Amino acid sequence: MNFELKTLSLAAAAKLSTDTLIVLISNQFKAGKDPLSVLIDKAIKAKDLTCKAGQSLNVYALSGVSAPKVIILGLGDAQAVDVKAAISSAATALKSANTTKAVILFAETPSAQTLKAAMLALADATYVYSTTKSKPVTRRLAQVHWGVADANIALKHSFSSTVAMVQGIEFAKEWANRPANHATPTMLGKAAQALAKTSGMSCEVLGPKEVAKLGMGSFMSVAKGSAEPLRFIVLKYQGAPKSVAPTVLVGKGITFDTGGISIKPAPEMDEMKFDMGGAASVLGVFKSLSLLKPALNVIGLIPACENMPDGLAVKPGDVVTSMSGQTIEILNTDAEGRLILCDALTYAERFKPKVVIDIATLTGACVIALGALRSGMFATEDSLAEALQHAGQEAMDLCWRLPLDDDYADALKSNFADVANVGGRAGGAITAAKFLHRFAQKYPWAHLDIAGTAWKGGAAKGGTGRPVGLLLQYLLSQQSSPQTKSRSKAGAA
Ligand code: BES
Ligand code: MN
Ligand code: ZN
């Protein structure tokens, strides 16, 4: 979908040839003398329309207006929730067969945040998955021109980062949605390599031999039950001088989670193809970085494998040795995410990172705690937690901080190894985070548990592309942090 930002008045918009013209009116709406204003004014006076978020009026073949169809859409206070409500109320029209081009005009110049909310909501409402359909029906809406009275610098800036954000979100949705037989660890590796063809990017994909050499015994134990060979993907984006410490993103890449020998029940097991949502979000962020090319260094690490039951599979009670040297008693083979992530967290040390953030569909307990609205967020430093929370708000991709008290780690004691891979049911999202915490001692670290937010079940089953928005917003906010300020002074940023 092609997005463009245009300086446009209501009078000028009336003369544009497009399939559908949408006029967004907030509570601040003031009518002018152009044909659209006159219509809106009359409709409001007749009480057929209010400016409330999601209220709408469809008009056809309006004289003085070139577009065959006009939708007047209430924006209310133009807050993120209002914008989302407004755009989703027009979703059916935007998805209709005869709308390939649309002009969406803000009657009042929006804030950068309002514009971003509208763009994200529109992309989400019109997204279509088609890769594994025999007769692919793709998104019909091909071009959207966003009209504002004054395309100022702040709007232009927000517009271009949001265009890249949408691309990243849709890349993550695509890979998350692909069935496990169309998104194997090998295929994820190839996707990463293809992404890295852009300048400033590189990618290395390690296989079973290299991973064994690194001593990733914990990661390898999860892959043992699968006929699909594991992959360890290392993506690098260099947009700042080499001396600038990178941010490392680690994405859980379980391409299918049966639970292993601790097998899951059959209902909804298909949804465990989404268990690589963390990996998909890392790929999505790199997609956005390839388009935006910000002055940052970012490393993406993706341990990818299947978790399968088999004669060769790891068994409950087995003890494995992680890359860190710590031994782990695998009491439940279904707690596999932490087993692949811990080795990636150890691998991350070699980059002397500024920050490491792992992203994982880690625990059902996090879904019980926070539902589908907010991702669980853990952080070793308050400033990091605040930055992530703020980025989530800015990108409308919310998270909520959960604690990392050391006493929670008591649940992971083992009689036969340094640590067990599960505690009890109580505080399950936190004990999982505490397991990872043991392997993330050498740098500031955050963990995002996206088990509730990475995909939707039911009729709207599909990947959400979260938390690409949050992560990209966070990374971009780091561009102007003290570490990179010297660059902008020198005029390089
Ligand atoms: N991938 C699952 C977590 C999950 C479950 C995400 C349901 C979304 C919906 C993870 O590998 C897992 O199975 N976790 C177990 C951990 C338990 C055995 C301690 C869980 O949450 O049940
Ligand atoms: Mn599992
Ligand atoms: Zn899993």
Side-chain angles (χ1 to χ4, degrees), residues 356-439:
V356 176
I357 304 171
D358 76 70
I359 310 104
T361 49
L362 203 64
T363 65
C366 192
V367 190
I368 302 301
L370 295 173
L373 202 63
R374 289 180 188 259
S375 303
M377 180 259 287
F378 300 81
T380 54
E381 332 226 324
D382 292 346
S383 58
L384 176 56
E386 277 158 27
L388 290 169
Q389 177 99 19
H390 184 70
Q393 263 152 15
E394 291 269 297
M396 283 140 292
D397 186 353
L398 302 173
C399 64
W400 194 258
R401 191 179 187 182
L402 295 170
L404 280 172
D405 302 276
D406 278 338
D407 285 351
Y408 282 111
D410 291 350
L412 298 170
K413 285 194 172 131
S414 161
N415 289 345
F416 306 103
D418 300 345
V419 66
N421 78 326
V422 291
R425 272 161 52 85
I430 308 169
T431 52
K434 286 308 288 182
F435 178 90
L436 295 175
H437 194 183
R438 296 176 68 99
F439 301 86

Side-chain angles (χ1 to χ4, degrees), residues 215-350:
M216 293 184 167
S218 185
F219 176 24
M220 281 159 55
S221 75
V222 176
K224 271 178 71 186
S226 171
E228 287 291 340
L230 64 74
R231 290 291 182 264
F232 188 79
I233 303 168
V234 184
L235 267 164
K236 293 182 184 160
Y237 166 73
Q238 199 199 324
K242 280 215 169 90
S243 58
V244 176
T247 299
V248 178
L249 304 177
V250 181
K252 172 177 172 182
I254 294 291
T255 59
F256 197 79
D257 182 11
T258 64
I261 298 300
S262 315
I263 198 162
K264 288 182 181 293
E268 289 161 20
M269 205 210 268
D270 67 289
E271 293 186 15
M272 283 298 129
K273 73 172 184 177
F274 294 116
D275 210 17
M276 36 61 78
S281 75
V282 173
L283 293 176
V285 168
F286 273 77
K287 176 77 185 176
S288 301
L289 293 175
S290 76
L291 299 167
L292 277 177
K293 301 224 185 341
L296 290 167
N297 292 335
V298 188
I299 307 276
L301 301 177
I302 299 175
C305 69
E306 289 181 337
N307 185 22
M308 300 288 284
D310 181 77
L312 290 173
V314 73
K315 303 168 292 298
D318 283 2
V319 173
V320 298
T321 304
S322 67
M323 185 179 175
S324 72
Q326 298 178 68
T327 60
I328 304 163
E329 184 185 14
I330 301 178
L331 288 173
N332 189 320
T333 65
D334 198 10
E336 84 297 340
R338 59 198 83 180
L339 294 174
I340 70 168
L341 291 168
C342 68
D343 282 340
L345 289 172
T346 302
Y347 187 87
E349 290 171 6
R350 67 185 56 204

